Amino acid sequence: MKKFYNDNLSHVPISPLNDNVDEKLLDLYMSPKIFSMCKDKGVFTQKNKRVTKYKDVFQTDNKMNRRIFLQGEAGSGKTTFLGKLALEWCKSTSSHMESSKNTDLKTIDDQNKLSSSSTYYEQSDMPCASSATNDDSDTSTASTVTTELSDKSRASFETTEESDISSSYDSFSEDSDSSCYSQAIGHTNNSSNIFADVDALQDYIFVFYITLRNLVKRFEVHTMIKEQIIDSIYSEDDREKAYRLVNEIMKRERCLVLLDGLDEWTGSGDHHNLPTLVSVYNQCVMLITTRPWKLAEGKVKHSEIDAVFQLDGINEPFELSRIILSRLVAKAELEIKHKAFKRYIWNQKLSELISAPMMLSVIVCSYAEGIELKGSKCEIYILLLESLFKKANSEMRTFEQSPSPCFRGTQYIQPNMERLNRLAEMAFHLLFVNAKENSLVFSITELKKFKMDERKQQDFVLKSGILSAKLTASTLRSSSSFMFIHKSMQEFLAAYHIACNMNLIDGSISVYLNRHPKAYLDISQVFIFLCGLDVSCAEKLSSMMDECDALNTNHFSACHKMLNKIILAGLREANANGYSDIALKLSHFYFDNNIIDLHKIWENNAANAIVLNVDTNEWEHLKYQRISPGNDECASQITFDLHSCLKLTYLKLSGRRILGKGKYTIRFFCQMCFRYV
C-alpha cells in the first residue's frame, strides 16, 4: 500500500492548468490554517480556536470522533492535506512494519481460515503486537487471532506472491528519501510544529485514501476500497484473498478512511447522503473533505457529524511562492525574482487571494511567464476562472475570435460561455441592482432569476468553486445562502457583463451612482477590470465617475486623490492588455510619485481640468518614472501646456524638471515654484 500511495499521492501539479508539470508534495507542502467549528443555532460556525495537531482532529474532549468533516473552498488545500496525512502514516509505520513485512498472502489466507472458525470476542481498541505469531500455531482463541492479525494484516498489504512490495518499492524506507522527507518537513515547520504529532497516526492499522469523484453511486466504503485500492494493487488472482483480509482488518482493527471530495460524489439517489461503514466496522474513523456548500444543503444530519473543521488555506503563502518560483526560474535569480513577486502582489492588491494554494500557484506561474511585466489583473482572473471551470468541466476548446485579448489562448472558457454569461449577469445584478446589504450574500431566489437553480447548472457553479453555499442560521427551516468565491471574482464577472452590454452604464450604473454617496469609489475594481476588457465602456464609465467626483468642491478632499489612483490603475490595466490609446476622463489632478502615467491622462483632459496640483520634490521620482510597466522610456522633464486650461481653478507646480508654458487664466489660486537643476 505504501508503494501505491507513493505512486499516486507523492506528486502534485505546480499549476492547476497543467497537470503534466508536477513536483513532490513534501517539497511544496505548507502548513494549513485549520480552525474548529461549533454548532450554534443549528449551524456550524467557525471558532477562533486554531487546530495544529492530528490528535485534536481525531479526538474531542478525549472522545474519539468517528465521522470528521474538513471543509474548505475550492483550491484551499483539502486534497493536499489528506495526501500529506497518508504519506506521513506510511513514514510513521514503516519501522513497525519492518518486522513483519516478509509475510505473504498465503499466510494471511491461512490465518483468515483459522479466524473464521474462531469465536469472536467483543471488539475493543487493541494494540499492535510487537511481533508476528507463527503461521503453524493451532491456537483458536479470538484474542490470539486478533493479535496476530494486527501484525499479519499490516504485512499483507506490503506483499505479493512473487515478491515483497515493502522491500522492493517502499521508497520512504530508503535513507536518501528519508533525508528528503525530513528536509521537506523541516521547511514547513520552521516556526511551529503544526501537525507534527505523526505518532497519532500510528493508532491506525491502515489508512485508506479514497477519491470520491471516481465512485459514482457507490456508497459502501468497503466496496470503494475494493475498487479503488485493492484492484489497483493486486492481480486478479490475489484480489479475493485481499478482499477477505480487508474485511477482517476493518472488523477488528482501528482504521482511518480518508474520503476526498464529498461535494464531487453522487450517491445512489435514496437515503444515502454519505458513504457508509457497516456497523461491524465500529472502530473505523472517516475523515471527509468537502466544500461548505455540501454541508449547507442540509442533507447530512447533525447526528452523522462528530466534528467539523474549516480549512482556510495555508499559513505561509509567500514561502510557498518562493518554492514554486524555484522550480520556474534560475537559481541565481530566485531571491531577486521572489522579492519582486512580493512587491507585485502588494501593488496589484492580490494578497487576499494567495492564501489559497490553487490561486497562489496560478498567480506565481503566470508571474513567472511574464504577467508581472504587463501588470494585467484581467489576465490573472481569467486564469483563475479557467482553473475553476476546469474542475467542473474538462472539455477543451479555444476561441476563434475572443471577446477580449485576455481570453486568447484559454482552453476551458469557450465550452462554458453560456454559464459564464449567466454568472456575469448575476454578478452585475447583485452589485449594482440589489440592495447593498444583499450584494455579496444571496439566496436561491437570485439563482432562479438567472436560471442557475437547475440541478445541472447549480452543480457546475458549486463543483467548480465559483460559488460557495452555507446553511442559513434558522431553527424554523433550513435554507442555503450563496456567495462568489471572492468578491474580486464577482467584480471581474460584473465588469465582463458591462463590457458585453455598454447600455448598462447609462442605465443601472447611473442609477446606482446617484443612489449611493461616493459609490463611484466603491466600484473601483469593476472599473479597473473594465479598462482591460473594453476601452469604450471604460472611457464612458470614467466620465460618469469624474462627474460624481467634481460635485465635491473641496479641492483638498481625499476623494479626489483616491479617484486619481483609480484612474491611474485603469490606465495601466488598459495598457497591459494592449489598449494604448485609451482616453479616460479626469478633472482633478494630483501629481506626486506617478508623474508620467498621470501626465498622459492630463494631456487628454487639460481643457476640462479643474485642479492641477504638482508637488514632487524629489528628482528620483521622475528619473525612474516610466509610461507603463514594461516601457523603458524615461522622462528628463515634464511640461504642462496650459493654453487650453479654461476651467482651471487651482494650480500648483512644485518640483524639479517641472515646466509650465502658455497663457492661462487662474480664477482661484496659483502657486508657481520651479526648481531647475
Side-chain angles (χ1 to χ4, degrees):
M1 184 178 286
K2 288 191 289 182
K3 157 65 176 170
F4 177 71
Y5 287 160
N6 191 39
D7 286 345
N8 292 278
L9 303 178
S10 62
H11 285 74
V12 293
I14 290 179
S15 169
L17 297 177
N18 189 350
D19 294 337
N20 296 323
V21 180
D22 58 9
E23 291 286 339
K24 288 184 178 180
L25 181 151
L26 297 177
D27 290 344
L28 297 177
Y29 185 81
M30 297 301 296
S31 302
K33 291 192 294 185
I34 296 179
F35 298 88
S36 59
M37 303 187 73
C38 64
K39 189 161 62 174
D40 181 27
K41 297 180 181 179
V43 177
F44 285 95
T45 58
Q46 183 172 319
K47 296 194 296 184
N48 292 327
K49 183 181 178 182
R50 180 88 177 269
V51 178
T52 59
K53 295 181 179 180
Y54 287 121
K55 178 184 176 183
D56 295 332
V57 172
F58 298 131
Q59 296 181 19
T60 301
D61 298 328
N62 294 320
K63 180 182 177 182
M64 183 65 65
N65 297 320
R66 291 199 61 227
R67 284 180 293 249
I68 308 164
F69 291 82
L70 177 65
Q71 66 176 23
E73 296 295 353
S76 59
K78 301 182 297 293
T79 298
T80 304
F81 178 77
L82 291 194
K84 174 71 158 26
L85 188 155
L87 294 176
E88 286 190 320
W89 172 80
C90 292
K91 174 65 179 177
S92 67
T93 59
S94 61
S95 59
H96 180 88
M97 307 268 280
E98 194 67 27
S99 63
S100 56
K101 70 180 181 180
N102 292 318
T103 307
D104 60 17
L105 280 171
K106 182 177 184 302
T107 302
I108 300 303
D109 192 39
D110 291 342
Q111 202 66 55
N112 287 341
K113 292 176 182 177
L114 177 62
S115 66
S116 65
S117 62
S118 303
T119 302
Y120 294 115
Y121 282 17
E122 183 179 1
Q123 296 174 8
S124 60
D125 293 350
M126 302 199 66
C128 275
S130 58
S131 60
T133 307
N134 192 304
D135 294 346
D136 298 329
S137 172
D138 59 357
T139 181
S140 61
T141 63
S143 58
T144 303
V145 171
T146 305
T147 304
E148 290 176 350
L149 186 59
S150 297
D151 287 337
K152 303 296 187 180
S153 59
R154 284 182 183 269
S156 69
F157 266 60
E158 310 301 324
T159 315
T160 64
E161 286 190 317
E162 288 84 13
S163 63
D164 178 30
I165 290 177
S166 182
S167 60
S168 299
Y169 299 110
D170 183 11
S171 62
F172 288 115
S173 65
E174 300 296 332
D175 292 340
S176 60
D177 285 343
S178 294
S179 175
C180 292
Y181 180 90
S182 299
Q183 185 178 359
I185 295 299
H187 84 246
T188 64
N189 290 316
N190 289 333
S191 59
S192 63
N193 294 320
I194 299 177
F195 291 102
D197 58 329
V198 294
D199 56 311
L201 304 178
Q202 295 178 10
D203 292 341
Y204 300 98
I205 300 300
F206 278 105
V207 170
F208 300 105
Y209 185 107
I210 303 295
T211 303
L212 290 174
R213 78 169 70 94
N214 300 325
L215 295 163
V216 177
K217 295 187 178 180
R218 305 289 195 276
F219 61 88
E220 290 187 352
V221 171
H222 185 250
T223 303
M224 295 177 176
I225 294 172
K226 283 182 181 179
E227 294 185 13
Q228 200 165 102
I229 297 179
I230 296 176
D231 290 354
S232 300
I233 295 177
Y234 291 104
S235 65
E236 188 173 354
D237 292 340
D238 293 330
R239 287 173 188 167
E240 191 59 40
K241 299 175 183 178
Y243 295 158
R244 293 197 302 270
L245 172 63
V246 168
N247 183 52
E248 294 301 321
I249 293 171
M250 296 182 71
K251 284 194 293 187
R252 296 167 173 269
E253 306 290 354
R254 180 177 293 173
C255 298
L256 176 61
V257 181
L258 306 177
L259 299 170
D260 186 31
L262 182 65
D263 52 288
E264 299 176 344
W265 174 72
T266 302
S268 58
D270 48 20
H271 63 284
H272 293 105
N273 298 312
L274 281 176
T276 60
L277 284 168
V278 294
S279 57
V280 73
Y281 300 155
N282 62 3
Q283 294 192 74
C284 294
V285 172
M286 292 195 297
L287 174 54
I288 306 169
T289 66
T290 184
R291 293 186 192 161
W293 68 264
K294 188 66 177 179
L295 294 183
E297 283 185 325
K299 293 182 179 180
V300 179
K301 299 176 183 177
H302 287 183
S303 60
E304 297 175 311
I305 302 173
D306 291 322
V308 181
F309 299 91
Q310 177 73 32
L311 175 57
D312 284 340
I314 55 176
N315 202 37
E316 299 177 20
F318 279 121
E319 177 61 19
L320 178 57
S321 70
R322 187 189 67 80
I323 295 170
I324 296 175
L325 266 182
S326 70
R327 271 61 175 178
L328 303 173
V329 303
K331 185 177 181 180
E333 300 178 346
L334 176 59
E335 294 307 319
I336 295 175
K337 291 279 188 182
H338 189 238
K339 288 180 181 178
F341 173 77
K342 288 196 285 187
R343 288 195 300 271
Y344 170 65
I345 292 297
W346 295 122
N347 291 339
Q348 296 294 329
K349 296 180 174 59
L350 298 172
S351 57
E352 291 185 7
L353 293 176
I354 63 173
S355 64
M358 182 195 74
M359 291 194 174
L360 174 62
S361 63
V362 171
I363 294 171
V364 173
C365 292
S366 303
Y367 168 82
E369 292 176 5
I371 285 184
E372 188 274 340
L373 295 176
K374 295 187 296 181
S376 172
K377 293 187 75 170
C378 285
E379 192 164 358
I380 290 173
Y381 278 80
I382 282 291
L383 288 168
L384 295 174
L385 188 63
E386 190 174 27
S387 66
L388 294 173
F389 276 4
K390 180 187 175 185
K391 297 173 82 67
N393 180 12
S394 58
E395 181 184 353
M396 298 170 62
R397 200 183 311 144
T398 57
F399 286 98
E400 293 183 5
Q401 184 175 0
S402 63
S404 174
C406 55
F407 282 83
R408 292 172 189 160
T410 60
Q411 296 177 314
Y412 302 99
I413 301 292
Q414 203 279 337
N416 298 293
M417 280 303 295
E418 182 182 352
R419 295 185 177 106
L420 172 62
N421 290 333
R422 290 186 187 182
L423 283 166
E425 184 181 7
M426 184 170 69
F428 173 83
H429 177 90
L430 291 166
L431 287 176
F432 290 95
V433 180
N434 260 26
K436 260 180 170 289
E437 57 269 21
N438 298 321
S439 63
L440 300 180
V441 180
F442 46 96
S443 68
I444 190 69
T445 303
E446 303 303 327
L447 296 184
K448 289 179 179 179
K449 285 182 183 177
F450 303 99
K451 299 179 181 179
M452 298 298 295
D453 61 316
E454 299 170 5
R455 187 75 256 176
K456 187 176 180 180
Q457 301 297 339
Q458 196 173 141
D459 282 349
F460 177 87
V461 296
L462 292 174
K463 288 182 178 179
S464 67
I466 296 174
L467 293 187
S468 176
K470 292 182 179 179
L471 198 63
T472 303
S474 173
T475 56
L476 296 177
R477 61 179 63 89
S478 62
S479 61
S480 294
S481 58
F482 300 85
M483 66 285 301
F484 282 86
I485 185 173
H486 198 275
K487 184 183 178 182
S488 60
M489 180 61 75
Q490 183 177 352
E491 291 168 323
F492 174 76
L493 291 170
Y496 168 74
H497 185 64
I498 298 169
C500 297
N501 302 272
M502 183 186 289
N503 61 296
L504 293 172
I505 298 176
D506 286 327
S508 299
I509 296 178
S510 177
V511 172
Y512 175 84
L513 293 178
N514 290 328
R515 192 169 69 220
H516 301 290
K518 300 181 181 178
Y520 67 96
L521 300 177
D522 294 342
I523 64 173
S524 60
Q525 289 302 314
V526 175
F527 168 74
I528 293 167
F529 286 133
L530 192 58
C531 290
L533 294 169
D534 188 280
V535 169
S536 298
C537 288
E539 291 173 345
K540 189 178 183 69
L541 183 56
S542 73
S543 179
M544 190 172 290
M545 294 167 69
D546 185 66
E547 288 175 8
C548 294
D549 185 63
L551 295 175
N552 185 348
T553 57
N554 179 1
H555 297 320
F556 301 98
S557 171
C559 294
H560 297 314
K561 294 183 178 180
M562 190 175 297
L563 184 61
N564 268 231
K565 293 180 180 179
I566 294 170
I567 297 296
L568 269 172
L571 172 69
R572 289 165 177 164
E573 183 64 27
N575 291 342
N577 287 280
Y579 302 125
S580 58
D581 297 326
I582 189 170
L584 299 175
K585 181 74 177 295
L586 191 64
S587 58
H588 291 66
F589 289 84
Y590 296 84
F591 289 79
D592 42 35
N593 299 332
N594 301 294
I595 300 177
I596 300 297
D597 285 341
L598 195 55
H599 189 265
K600 285 184 64 180
I601 300 173
W602 158 267
E603 290 175 338
N604 292 323
N605 289 275
N608 298 310
I610 297 173
V611 172
L612 175 59
N613 186 327
V614 182
D615 188 3
T616 174
N617 295 319
E618 295 296 333
W619 163 239
E620 293 299 318
H621 292 320
L622 178 59
K623 181 178 179 181
Y624 296 109
Q625 285 286 312
R626 290 172 168 78
I627 291 177
S628 63
N631 190 326
D632 290 331
E633 180 184 346
C634 289
S636 59
Q637 64 184 31
I638 293 293
T639 300
F640 290 90
D641 189 344
L642 305 175
H643 279 99
S644 60
C645 296
L646 303 178
K647 298 181 179 180
L648 202 64
T649 59
Y650 180 92
L651 172 65
K652 178 181 179 180
L653 300 177
S654 176
R656 299 180 180 183
R657 310 268 176 133
I658 304 300
L659 305 180
K661 70 175 184 179
K663 296 180 180 180
Y664 46 86
T665 301
I666 302 300
R667 287 189 267 166
F668 181 64
F669 177 76
C670 177
Q671 176 181 346
M672 309 292 284
C673 181
F674 299 106
R675 290 185 292 170
Y676 296 95
V677 295

